[in-house]
Amino acid sequence: MQGSSEVPSKIEVTQLLKAWGGGDDKALERLTPVVESELHRLAHRCMAREHPGHTLQTTALVNEVYLRLVDIHAVNWQDRAHFFAISARMMRRILTDFARSRRYQKRGGGAVQITLDEALVVAPEKHADIMALDDALTQFAVLYPRQSQVVELRFFGGLEVEEAAEALKVSPETVKRDWRFAKTWLLRAMSGEKDDGC
């Protein structure tokens, strides 16, 4: 990385994203190393929650997200937070598709398991299937779109409260409240409890 030894600021990243969305290939060249390192950090957090021995590695997840992002044409990137929100959603899709593929290959046996960290579950010893989480999150998104985005950003994207708040243009307190609500709702849905309308 000759030339610029400084990592671009959030404003510079936003400007580069907008330029890239407008078709400027030079902006993409400058943006790629910065985005790649951030995506690697997010993917590492995401993969840390995966079952030991998971065959999809962090670098492969980053590469897949990057390939999908480069394939998107004419995106009107709002800012850095918007970029990472979309990246988090892609990570969720990639991990879910991978789990479905593995389950299909093994006909139900050996589905990829993830440990829902203490930030998502009350009891850390509980495990949940990523496909069950994806199904529950899909149902949750129909009822509570913003709260489901909080889960995507925090759980799949690995964003901190402040980063998720920035991406969603809400306060950190709203993100914390949505996160608590989402944890409760998703745990009930994944445990098979029926919602009795309360």
Side-chain angles (χ1 to χ4, degrees):
M1 281 203 196
Q2 291 176 324
S4 173
S5 61
E6 289 184 26
V7 175
S9 70
K10 288 181 182 183
I11 293 169
E12 289 174 307
V13 169
T14 297
Q15 290 169 344
L16 289 170
L17 282 166
K18 288 183 178 188
W20 172 39
D24 183 351
D25 290 335
K26 295 276 186 205
L28 177 60
E29 287 176 27
R30 182 151 182 248
L31 181 67
T32 298
V34 176
V35 169
E36 214 164 7
S37 65
E38 277 293 303
L39 286 175
H40 201 297
R41 181 183 67 86
L42 295 178
H44 181 71
R45 282 182 176 172
C46 199
M47 294 303 294
R49 290 189 284 265
E50 293 294 326
H51 182 64
H54 195 292
T55 56
L56 183 64
Q57 299 298 313
T58 302
T59 302
L61 180 57
V62 170
N63 290 342
E64 185 62 30
V65 169
Y66 183 71
L67 288 172
R68 290 184 187 195
L69 287 169
V70 170
D71 236 11
I72 298 174
H73 299 289
V75 173
N76 184 18
W77 297 109
Q78 297 168 15
D79 54 23
R80 175 187 174 278
H82 178 228
F83 176 83
F84 287 109
I86 289 176
S87 298
R89 182 167 290 144
M90 286 182 176
M91 285 184 192
R92 173 186 169 198
R93 285 285 142 231
I94 292 164
L95 289 172
T96 303
D97 291 347
F98 185 80
R100 288 189 200 288
S101 166
R102 296 284 293 166
R103 176 169 274 178
Y104 175 76
Q105 291 171 1
K106 295 189 176 191
R107 295 191 173 164
V112 177
Q113 299 288 314
I114 58 169
T115 302
L116 297 174
D117 66 5
E118 63 278 356
L120 186 57
V121 295
V122 177
E125 71 276 5
K126 290 189 178 180
H127 296 276
D129 181 45
I130 194 165
M131 291 182 298
L133 175 59
D134 182 63
D135 291 343
L137 193 53
T138 299
Q139 293 171 5
F140 185 66
V142 171
L143 300 169
Y144 308 101
R146 187 191 67 225
Q147 290 85 348
S148 72
Q149 288 180 310
V150 168
V151 175
E152 280 186 338
L153 293 172
R154 302 251 8 250
F155 186 76
F156 289 97
L159 273 63
E160 298 296 330
V161 170
E162 293 75 19
E163 294 171 311
E166 178 186 342
L168 296 173
K169 311 267 188 276
V170 297
S171 71
E173 291 74 27
T174 299
V175 169
K176 289 176 189 174
R177 191 170 42 254
D178 289 350
W179 184 237
R180 283 190 304 269
F181 173 71
K183 288 188 292 186
T184 303
W185 195 98
L186 290 168
L187 282 172
R188 289 184 71 194
M190 292 173 66
S191 69
E193 286 183 39
K194 298 290 183 201
D195 187 1
D196 40 357
C198 298

